[in-house]
Amino acid sequence: MERFISDVETYALACGISPQSLLRKTVNAQWGQWQKWKDGDASPTMRIVDQIYAYMAENPAPQTSEDAA
């Protein structure tokens, strides 16, 4: 779960959006769902995790000049 949280946060930061916005866009998650996952109060299903990873793979974050170096 820690890896998933880190991956989503890294992707969202690179895209200039919040992790919650990514969840809304990819799986129509309720507002506040991201915080519940981070706090350990809830967990995504593997199907949801797969959908989010698939979206991130199909829509790569823009590369910065640091990434290209």
Side-chain angles (χ1 to χ4, degrees):
M1 186 66 175
E2 290 175 16
R3 171 73 186 264
F4 171 69
I5 295 290
S6 176
D7 289 346
V8 169
E9 287 178 333
T10 300
Y11 177 84
L13 180 63
C15 291
I17 61 173
S18 70
Q20 182 64 48
S21 293
L22 177 63
L23 267 59
R24 294 282 297 171
K25 183 183 293 190
T26 57
V27 296
N28 198 29
Q30 296 178 4
W31 289 110
Q33 191 63 53
W34 176 249
Q35 194 61 48
K36 289 179 184 177
W37 291 355
K38 282 191 68 168
D39 292 345
D41 294 333
S43 297
T45 64
M46 286 307 299
R47 181 174 170 238
I48 296 293
V49 170
D50 289 344
Q51 285 178 302
I52 294 169
Y53 273 124
Y55 178 87
M56 293 189 303
E58 293 168 6
N59 301 279
Q63 287 192 336
T64 65
S65 57
E66 290 178 11
D67 292 338

